[in-house]
């Protein structure tokens, strides 16, 4: 048997995230072996940030592997895609049965599924872990979402839970085993989608306060700060208050000088694409992605703003003379929309779990997002409670707590959207959330007509309410001429 090396774990990829994760692990008493393909990076790191800590370096993968305790644990933190596969290929001949490769990058969950299957065939264990919280999180406590081969978990659990963010009085780690194969990266993807949604609903609240109530940025900063002490207490509301208050050199609010054209790296888009693939109505995240797309058509919008008219109602619209109560309505609209968005996100998780046979722990996922990451909030503690109360909960909206919260908010929610519609202020996320809510609570929707139309032009057949077991085709015209289902496919 080869001698056991001194290091508990190795990490490949010394960009800021990688360095910070290594420093975080070292702070918690683990010995970490650092590697980068450009070996001068290793020497720089050892001579500077890592100096005096339980961090050692390696100048080749062979050397790195020789310095690891068994089973060897190696985190790869490089650009998602080909680079991950390339390191896996180089590591395979150096490792032995039961060694563990962990991909901590932003990989697509389908890649993680493929790598799990591949490494199983090589008798190696693979973990794909979502890592959220940015550089700061990596250094002082990220949210970690590991999934893959469950046999790996007992070996990495201590390190992962030690370095992750902690929440609540019990110091619970924001890290637990998510599920098989791509589950960790899937949950990370949904986290990113929810982040898009949370940001969009905050933007809509800001837009309404600015356009309808004509509030100053300092007033809005105070309002967000106040909301941050209530049920909306969260990282994103907190930073929004800071942003509202921040002044440019001339004393004017900086945020008003920023071009209103949003960028995106695609992770929200992946969530929306999965939602379409799985047929789950994750409408708020979808609208949030589209809202960014629309924002980026800045020149087209500027041109259209000169041509297309809006409602005749003036902006002096009377919100009941009571600014304070309309501000409260906006808060409730934001909160209700947020509940719908998370309900939709968990619907997508449920569907993926059913499809891939993942045994997802939904309360555990809420806890993983509770701290360390961008969507961290008090609200996620309530979601955890909902799933603790009923692990089989079909939909968050059906939980007693959330059902009552929405019911307390809904008059305000409807008032805000109706007002915005009258004044021509777009609220795509608030509105789609309410439309979903109204659809989900409807025992009867007009899809009977869709079925009739499909049968009329394409003979796609339909089911009768009084005889749902049979699929029936009706000759709708009775005027001759065949309709064929092979010519249309709608
Ligand atoms: C090496 O380090 C640089 C940053 O110093 C990083 O950008 C790169 O991804 C790392 N690459 C590998 C393969 O270790
Ligand atoms: C539909 O009904 C008309 C009139 O009764 C008949 O001529 C035609 O063949 C029917 N078409 C089909 C597809 O059964
Ligand atoms: C309708 O379909 C039947 C069976 O396929 C065929 O015999 C008949 O000629 C078609 N009639 C017309 C008007 O196309």
């Amino acid at each position: 048997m080869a001698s056991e090396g001194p290091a508990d774990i190795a990490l490949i990829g010394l960009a800021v995230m990688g360095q910070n994760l290594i420093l975080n692990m070292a702070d918690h008493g683990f010995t970490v072996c650092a590697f980068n393909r450009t070996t001068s990076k290793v020497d720089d790191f050892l001579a500077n940030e890592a100096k005096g800590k339980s961090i050692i370096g390696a100048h080749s993968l062979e050397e790195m592997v020789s310095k690891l305790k068994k089973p060897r644990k190696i985190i790869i933190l490089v650009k998602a895609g080909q680079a991950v596969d390339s390191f896996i290929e180089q590591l395979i001949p150096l490792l032995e049965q039961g060694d563990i490769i962990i991909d901590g990058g932003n990989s697509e969950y389908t890649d993680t599924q493929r790598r799990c299957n591949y490494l199983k065939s090589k008798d190696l264990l693979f973990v794909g872990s979502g890592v959220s919280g940015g550089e700061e999180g990596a250094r002082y406590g990220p949210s970690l979402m590991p999934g893959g081969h469950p046999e790996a978990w007992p070996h990495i659990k201590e390190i992962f839970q030690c370095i992750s963010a902690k929440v609540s009085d019990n110091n619970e780690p924001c890290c637990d085993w998510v599920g098989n194969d791509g589950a960790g990266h899937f949950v990370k993807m949904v986290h990113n989608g929810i982040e898009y949604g949370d940001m969009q609903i905050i933007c809509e609240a800001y837009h309404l306060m600015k356009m309808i109530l004509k509030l100053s940025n300092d007033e809005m900063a105070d309002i967000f700060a106040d909301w941050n002490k209530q049920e909306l207490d969260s990282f994103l509301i907190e930073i929004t208050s800071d942003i509202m208050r921040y002044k440019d050199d001339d004393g004017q609010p900086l945020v008003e000088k920023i071009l209103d054209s949003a960028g995106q790296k695609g992770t929200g888009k992946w969530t929306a694409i999965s939602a379409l693939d799985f047929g789950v109505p994750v409408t708020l995240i979808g609208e949030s992605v589209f809202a960014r797309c629309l924002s980026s058509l800045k020149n087209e919008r500027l041109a259209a703003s000169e041509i297309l008219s809006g409602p005749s109602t003036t902006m002096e619209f009377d919100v009941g003379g009571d600014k304070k109560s309309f501000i409260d309505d906006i808060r409730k609209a934001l909160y209700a929309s947020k509940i719908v968005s998370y309900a939709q996100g968990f619907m997508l998780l449920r569907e993926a779990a059913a499809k891939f046979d993942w045994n997802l722990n939904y309360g555990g996922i809420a806890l993983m997002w509770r701290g360390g990451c961008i969507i961290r909030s008090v609200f996620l503690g309530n979601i955890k409670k909902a799933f603790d109360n009923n692990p089989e909960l079909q939909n968050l909206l059906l939980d007693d707590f959330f059902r009552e919260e929405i019911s307390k908010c809904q008059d305000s929610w409807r008032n805000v959207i109706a007002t915005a519609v009258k004044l021509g202020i777009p609220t795509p996320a608030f509105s789609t959330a309410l439309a979903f809510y109204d659809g989900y609570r409807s025992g009867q929707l007009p899809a009977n007509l869709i079925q009739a139309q499909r049968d009329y032009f394409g003979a796609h057949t339909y089911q009768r309410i009084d005889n749902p077991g049979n699929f029936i085709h009706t000759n709708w015209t009775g005027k001759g001429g065949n309709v064929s289902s092979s010519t249309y496919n709608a």
Side-chain angles (χ1 to χ4, degrees):
M1 197 175 140
S3 69
E4 296 214 317
D8 298 298
I9 192 162
L11 189 144
I12 299 173
L14 297 180
V16 184
M17 283 289 284
Q19 293 192 15
N20 282 358
L21 262 191
I22 292 174
L23 293 168
N24 186 350
M25 289 190 275
D27 282 352
H28 284 89
F30 300 103
T31 300
V32 191
C33 182
F35 177 78
N36 190 289
R37 196 171 31 208
T38 312
T39 52
S40 61
K41 302 271 182 212
V42 178
D43 299 325
D44 285 350
F45 181 55
L46 290 180
N48 295 292
E49 295 86 348
K51 202 168 176 170
K53 297 184 183 282
S54 55
I55 298 168
I56 57 178
H59 291 88
S60 68
L61 290 174
E62 287 81 354
E63 187 192 348
M64 182 190 84
V65 166
S66 77
K67 289 183 166 173
L68 285 171
K69 289 180 189 152
K70 294 179 186 175
R72 302 179 182 90
K73 305 164 212 42
I74 299 164
I75 301 179
I76 302 178
L77 210 65
V78 299
K79 197 170 180 299
Q82 180 53 43
V84 178
D85 289 314
S86 151
F87 272 109
I88 288 173
E89 280 308 323
Q90 294 170 64
L91 285 169
I92 286 171
L94 307 176
L95 298 179
E96 27 185 297
Q97 184 172 10
D99 286 346
I100 302 163
I101 299 177
I102 301 154
D103 171 20
N106 229 350
S107 295
E108 293 193 45
Y109 78 95
T110 46
D111 282 339
T112 304
Q113 290 178 311
R114 170 176 58 77
R115 288 167 187 147
C116 273
N117 288 334
Y118 178 59
L119 285 167
K120 194 176 181 88
S121 75
K122 305 280 179 194
D123 278 335
L124 296 173
L125 298 176
F126 186 69
V127 173
S129 181
V131 177
S132 178
E135 294 168 359
E136 187 76 6
R139 180 66 185 87
Y140 299 107
S143 160
L144 296 173
M145 300 156 243
H149 294 139
E151 306 90 316
W153 180 232
H155 299 288
I156 62 170
K157 181 175 176 178
E158 191 193 352
I159 300 180
F160 269 54
Q161 293 196 335
C162 274
I163 65 167
S164 76
K166 309 286 186 302
V167 287
S168 77
D169 310 333
N170 320 340
N171 241 5
E172 286 174 283
C174 296
C175 170
D176 204 346
W177 186 250
V178 176
N180 284 351
D181 64 73
H185 275 130
F186 192 89
V187 165
K188 172 63 170 33
M189 176 193 76
V190 173
H191 161 282
N192 288 0
I194 286 178
E195 177 183 316
Y196 272 54
D198 279 0
M199 292 166 75
Q200 176 64 26
I201 54 181
I202 292 172
C203 288
E204 292 180 14
Y206 152 67
H207 201 199
L208 293 168
M209 289 193 275
K210 175 173 150 181
M211 302 299 284
I212 300 182
L213 299 176
K214 312 275 195 299
L215 298 183
S216 72
N217 290 67
D218 280 332
E219 286 173 309
M220 291 190 274
D222 290 342
I223 289 165
F224 283 115
D226 181 47
W227 291 358
N228 199 40
K229 293 179 197 134
Q230 306 174 47
E231 71 284 88
L232 290 174
D233 180 346
S234 60
F235 173 71
L236 283 169
I237 294 280
E238 180 189 331
I239 67 165
T240 301
S241 174
D242 291 349
I243 290 168
M244 288 296 140
R245 221 181 283 287
Y246 194 94
K247 304 293 188 300
D248 199 6
D249 293 339
D250 61 1
Q252 297 303 307
L254 177 60
V255 67
E256 303 305 327
K257 299 187 177 185
I258 295 178
L259 186 73
D260 56 329
S261 170
Q264 47 182 318
K265 280 190 178 166
T267 45
K269 183 179 81 179
W270 291 350
T271 310
I273 291 172
S274 296
L276 290 172
D277 279 344
F278 293 126
V280 182
V282 187
T283 62
L284 194 144
I285 295 173
E287 277 296 345
S288 303
V289 175
F290 287 134
R292 290 197 189 190
C293 300
L294 180 58
S295 80
S296 71
L297 305 177
K298 176 72 174 177
N299 291 335
E300 256 183 86
R301 287 190 289 115
L302 277 175
S305 71
E306 304 287 330
I307 300 167
L308 302 178
S309 67
S312 51
T313 325
T314 74
M315 280 305 197
E316 307 309 316
F317 183 81
D318 183 10
V319 291
D322 187 355
K323 272 193 182 184
K324 239 187 145 115
S325 88
F326 195 68
I327 291 169
D328 223 43
D329 283 353
I330 296 174
R331 175 179 57 81
K332 288 177 179 163
L334 200 168
Y335 184 41
S337 303
K338 183 171 168 123
I339 293 172
V340 168
S341 180
Y342 283 68
Q344 293 179 338
F346 279 90
M347 285 169 76
L348 180 58
L349 292 177
R350 249 186 112 88
E351 190 61 31
K355 170 159 183 199
F356 297 121
D357 212 5
W358 294 336
N359 184 17
L360 295 184
N361 167 4
Y362 300 102
I365 291 167
L367 182 61
M368 281 177 248
W369 296 344
R370 172 77 188 75
C373 61
I374 303 295
I375 65 170
R376 63 182 178 265
S377 67
V378 169
F379 175 79
L380 280 157
N382 295 321
I383 296 183
K384 165 129 189 2
K385 259 185 234 150
F387 285 112
D388 284 351
N389 290 342
N390 177 10
E392 303 303 314
L393 184 65
Q394 171 141 33
N395 192 301
L396 261 190
L397 296 175
L398 302 176
D399 169 71
D400 286 344
F401 174 79
F402 287 110
R403 184 172 50 76
E404 278 161 31
E405 293 293 278
I406 289 236
S407 122
K408 278 189 249 165
C409 291
Q410 73 168 302
D411 288 345
S412 297
W413 191 14
R414 291 180 195 281
N415 181 41
V416 166
I417 292 170
T419 306
V421 168
K422 276 189 205 148
L423 294 177
I425 314 272
T427 54
F430 283 6
S431 304
T432 196
L434 181 58
F436 174 87
Y437 179 71
D438 283 335
Y440 191 69
R441 61 177 196 85
S442 293
Q444 179 74 52
L445 287 171
N448 48 330
L449 175 54
I450 289 179
Q451 289 299 83
Q453 290 164 334
R454 295 176 67 236
D455 188 55
Y456 186 117
F457 65 65
H460 292 300
T461 74
Y462 60 88
Q463 296 155 279
R464 287 180 62 100
I465 294 169
D466 57 9
N467 181 14
N470 283 345
F471 289 81
I472 300 159
H473 169 57
T474 291
N475 182 342
W476 293 90
T477 58
K479 287 186 191 137
N482 293 340
V483 283
S484 152
S485 61
S486 62
T487 49
Y488 284 96
N489 200 359

